[in-house]
Amino acid sequence: MSCIALSVGLGNVWRFPFIALENGGGAFLIPYLITLFLVGKPIYYLEMILGQFSSRANVKMYNYAPIMRGIAYGQTMAIFFVTTYYSSLMALTLHYFIDSFYPTLPWSYCRKEWGDLCIDSKLDSDESLKRAQQNSTAVKKSSAEFYFINIVLQEKSNIDDGLGVPNWKLVLTLAFAWLVITVVIFKGIKSSGKVAYFLAIFPYVILLVLLIRALTLPGAFDGVLFFLTPQWDKLLDAKVWYAAVTQVFFSLTVCYGVVVMYASFNRFRHNIRRDCNIVTSLDTLTSLLSGIVIFGILGNLAYESNNPNIKSVVKSGPALAFISYPDAIAKFQTMPQIFSAFFFLMLFILGIGSNVGIISTVITVISDQFPNIKRWIVVFASVLICYGLALLYVTPGGQFVLNYIDFYAVTLVVTVLGVFELLSASWIYGVKNICRDIKFMLGVETSIYYRICWAIITPIFMTAVYIYMLVDYKPLTYNDVRYPESLYALGWCITAIGVGQLLIWGSYAIWSGPELSFDERFRGAFKPASDWGPLDPTALKEYQDFVRETTSIKKTGIWSKILDNIFG
């Protein structure tokens, strides 16, 4: 349930439908499903296996190859940044949830100071067209967009003169979001595990209510067909496959260390293979379900505005949940407040479920490294630091910061470290040894599907994605506005620090080795530590006996070694 609450989050409800829309509609589903089976599912299962087998979080899990421990530190740094900006999104959803209880939705009408360029979101199509014709040369914006930018964010056009002062309303909603997270994680995984039942199940109740409502709206089925109808030419576009991989990473939260952390609390013999199938399948079905709900609403919006082009009725991107959806909700004729309250409550619950897992990973790593510090001190210190940094995102220049941190401190770092995570598990520790450990822990043989994915397909897939990112790189912008030049150099320095953890901790593993010569220390850093295996002493002794009994004669020749690693 914790993994479901983690994986089924904001990425499923508002990111997936419009990533699909921008990349070929139904045609995107084909690369997405292929990527899920060749990248997402194998990595998810691998991380669950390593976490449960070692009963250790992501840093100590790398006892199987100490030289690669920097991967975990880099991932922890990235997930720390994620938890700060993710909480700011929760603050926004809570702001809109509170606003949903006004007699008239505050984003549904224009203020005088917005001038004639504003169109009321609640106006019907005839009124909207009439108002738009008054000044046909100017670009019109909905009142929902003006409300989000001018009232909620109080957004600046650039950050050349600084970020500005935080919005006090968002400061309060952000504090409440962190208060809820703190209450959930305060007693550790046992308390958050119980809450996970609610965090995982409640959003589905809301989604089903929204599904029924959406499909009963006029024009809804046109929107659903638009979502599911493929554009086959998009399959040859590398950008579509890149979008599919990033969506799988974002949705399943793989290569961040969170899945390893959750799995480390499982019973040693727990049926992790079943859990992997359930979570990855449910994550995909949730994305499809939310896509049907959202495009049903957009189909109705296109119907009401006499606009045959569904893609043009909304704005996609980071602000989607706070412009396009409120704009669509404002056009509902019957009690839009109820619909709005349910929708933003669902987003807030989804955010809680994901952020609990994210911040718990950071706390677990710190607690593992400093066992003498009481856990409640680590929790409060982590929450206060995260809250302080999250205040940057609720300033007038906050969206510039969010976009910047997400790219340089998270996306670039996680993609590189994800490739090294797979290579270290599959080729340094070895697929053959992983399958042996699965046999000892679960008593099952590993299928050829997982063996080939871990060893060949998934690393190649991820490497190709990273190469594409570098080849397609353009200076980062937000709303087509460039950042100050100095920030580009700083961004690459942040990326280098995250990826550089691999070199720093790899060097430490070599120099801290017990062997005398450099060559011995170097070779020893690639080998499992003496205590690698189950955390329970009895199970560890049984495992070591099992390893001795199943150790085969080493193969000679490069091809013999490769085939032996994959197929045993």
Side-chain angles (χ1 to χ4, degrees):
M1 285 295 177
S2 295
C3 286
I4 291 171
L6 169 71
S7 296
V8 179
L10 296 177
N12 301 84
V13 175
W14 64 272
R15 191 177 191 272
F16 174 84
F18 286 90
I19 290 293
L21 176 63
E22 294 170 355
N23 292 278
F28 175 77
L29 300 180
I30 298 173
Y32 176 74
L33 291 175
I34 292 174
T35 303
L36 176 75
F37 281 99
L38 297 183
V39 177
K41 190 173 180 179
I43 298 177
Y44 201 92
Y45 185 47
L46 176 65
E47 292 189 340
M48 294 185 96
I49 285 295
L50 293 174
Q52 179 170 302
F53 181 79
S54 64
S55 297
R56 296 172 175 90
N58 54 335
V59 171
K60 292 191 175 181
M61 177 200 73
Y62 281 95
N63 283 355
Y64 71 74
I67 198 170
M68 307 304 288
R69 195 170 287 139
I71 295 172
Y73 285 105
Q75 290 174 338
T76 303
M77 187 192 86
I79 205 71
F80 170 76
F81 284 112
V82 171
T83 195
T84 59
Y85 73 64
Y86 212 94
S87 63
S88 71
L89 297 177
M90 293 167 57
L92 292 174
T93 61
L94 192 59
H95 187 292
Y96 272 83
F97 173 73
I98 295 171
D99 286 352
S100 301
F101 292 95
Y102 280 96
T104 301
L105 294 177
W107 58 81
S108 64
Y109 60 90
C110 295
R111 275 71 162 171
K112 289 183 179 180
E113 61 267 24
W114 297 343
D116 293 333
L117 296 181
C118 176
I119 301 176
D120 287 358
S121 292
K122 65 180 179 181
L123 293 179
D124 61 29
S125 57
D126 292 337
E127 291 175 304
S128 298
L129 290 173
K130 187 184 297 183
R131 190 162 184 172
Q133 290 171 354
Q134 292 177 359
N135 191 352
S136 59
T137 60
V139 178
K140 300 291 183 177
K141 296 180 181 179
S142 68
S143 58
E145 185 170 354
F146 271 101
Y147 182 78
F148 179 65
I149 294 174
N150 294 1
I151 303 297
V152 179
L153 295 182
Q154 301 173 7
E155 190 168 82
K156 305 175 65 175
S157 58
N158 60 68
I159 56 172
D160 293 341
D161 59 347
L163 299 177
V165 179
N167 182 332
W168 69 268
K169 291 183 179 179
L170 292 178
V171 169
L172 294 178
T173 55
L174 181 66
F176 181 81
W178 276 110
L179 177 62
V180 174
I181 294 170
T182 304
V183 170
V184 174
I185 66 174
F186 183 71
K187 291 186 178 180
I189 198 69
K190 291 184 178 180
S191 62
S192 63
K194 294 175 183 177
V195 178
Y197 283 90
F198 172 75
L199 297 177
I201 295 173
F202 179 77
Y204 286 102
V205 176
I206 302 300
L207 267 180
L208 290 175
V209 172
L210 298 182
L211 176 66
I212 295 171
R213 175 56 180 155
L215 294 182
T216 57
L217 296 171
F221 284 97
D222 293 333
V224 174
L225 288 176
F226 184 84
F227 171 56
L228 297 177
T229 301
Q231 301 173 31
W232 299 108
D233 58 305
K234 292 285 187 178
L235 291 177
L236 301 178
D237 189 349
K239 188 177 294 185
V240 175
W241 291 91
Y242 166 72
V245 172
T246 54
Q247 174 61 28
V248 167
F249 266 54
F250 188 90
S251 184
L252 288 177
T253 325
V254 292
C255 294
Y256 288 96
V258 186
V259 176
V260 174
M261 183 273 297
Y262 270 148
S264 68
F265 289 99
N266 280 342
R267 298 183 306 276
F268 184 71
R269 305 287 181 183
H270 181 71
N271 189 351
I272 208 82
R273 184 170 59 171
R274 177 202 60 193
D275 288 5
C276 175
N277 291 330
I278 291 175
V279 176
T280 54
S281 300
L282 195 58
D283 179 78
T284 304
L285 292 175
T286 305
S287 295
L288 297 176
L289 174 63
S290 63
I292 293 172
V293 172
I294 298 308
F295 277 84
I297 295 172
L298 297 182
N300 172 255
L301 185 58
Y303 173 84
E304 293 289 343
S305 60
N306 293 323
N307 185 351
N309 186 0
I310 293 177
K311 187 175 181 178
S312 67
V313 301
V314 293
K315 291 180 177 293
S316 60
L320 172 69
F322 310 108
I323 295 178
S324 300
Y325 294 166
D327 184 62
I329 291 169
K331 289 180 169 60
F332 277 59
Q333 300 299 317
T334 305
M335 300 196 72
Q337 292 87 349
I338 294 179
F339 193 93
S340 178
F342 273 127
F343 180 78
F344 286 107
L345 177 61
M346 178 185 67
L347 290 185
F348 184 73
I349 297 299
L350 288 171
I352 290 290
S354 297
N355 219 357
V356 163
I358 293 170
I359 188 62
S360 294
T361 303
V362 176
I363 292 170
T364 301
V365 169
I366 297 173
S367 297
D368 284 351
Q369 296 303 115
F370 304 98
N372 294 327
I373 301 178
K374 293 182 179 179
R375 189 180 184 280
W376 69 268
I377 296 178
V378 176
V379 170
F380 278 110
S382 301
V383 167
L384 288 176
I385 293 172
C386 289
Y387 175 70
L389 291 177
L391 290 175
L392 295 174
Y393 305 115
V394 298
T395 60
Q399 296 304 300
F400 283 89
V401 181
L402 192 155
N403 187 51
Y404 179 84
I405 291 296
D406 179 61
F407 182 73
Y408 286 111
V410 179
T411 302
L412 290 177
V413 173
V414 168
T415 305
V416 176
L417 295 180
V419 174
F420 280 100
E421 177 184 321
L422 275 171
L423 293 176
S424 66
S426 301
W427 291 103
I428 295 180
Y429 185 58
V431 171
K432 180 180 178 180
N433 291 334
I434 294 172
C435 296
R436 177 201 63 201
D437 296 347
I438 294 172
K439 176 69 174 177
F440 174 76
M441 182 170 65
L442 302 181
V444 297
E445 298 290 346
T446 303
S447 67
I448 192 67
Y449 155 70
Y450 282 117
R451 291 172 181 265
I452 293 179
C453 283
W454 289 336
I456 301 173
I457 297 176
T458 309
I460 291 176
F461 222 119
M462 292 178 60
T463 303
V465 168
Y466 183 65
I467 292 173
Y468 175 81
M469 286 177 61
L470 295 179
V471 171
D472 193 57
Y473 172 77
K474 299 179 181 63
L476 187 68
T477 61
Y478 174 73
N479 283 345
D480 296 325
V481 177
R482 286 177 60 94
Y483 290 81
E485 291 301 321
S486 59
L487 290 183
Y488 291 108
L490 177 62
W492 285 110
C493 289
I494 294 173
T495 302
I497 291 173
V499 176
Q501 298 298 311
L502 187 59
L503 180 62
I504 294 171
W505 292 98
S507 301
Y508 176 79
I510 293 172
W511 289 107
S512 62
E515 291 80 6
L516 297 178
S517 68
F518 174 81
D519 184 64
E520 290 176 329
R521 290 198 302 268
F522 182 79
R523 292 176 181 273
F526 285 89
K527 297 177 181 179
S530 58
D531 63 345
W532 166 250
L535 196 60
D536 177 69
T538 303
L540 178 61
K541 174 92 168 42
E542 294 175 0
Y543 169 68
Q544 291 170 342
D545 292 340
F546 180 79
V547 170
R548 283 191 289 269
E549 292 173 1
T550 56
T551 300
S552 58
I553 299 174
K554 291 186 177 182
K555 306 293 182 180
T556 58
I558 183 65
W559 288 110
S560 295
K561 291 180 179 178
I562 291 174
L563 291 174
D564 181 55
N565 180 49
I566 300 174
F567 302 106

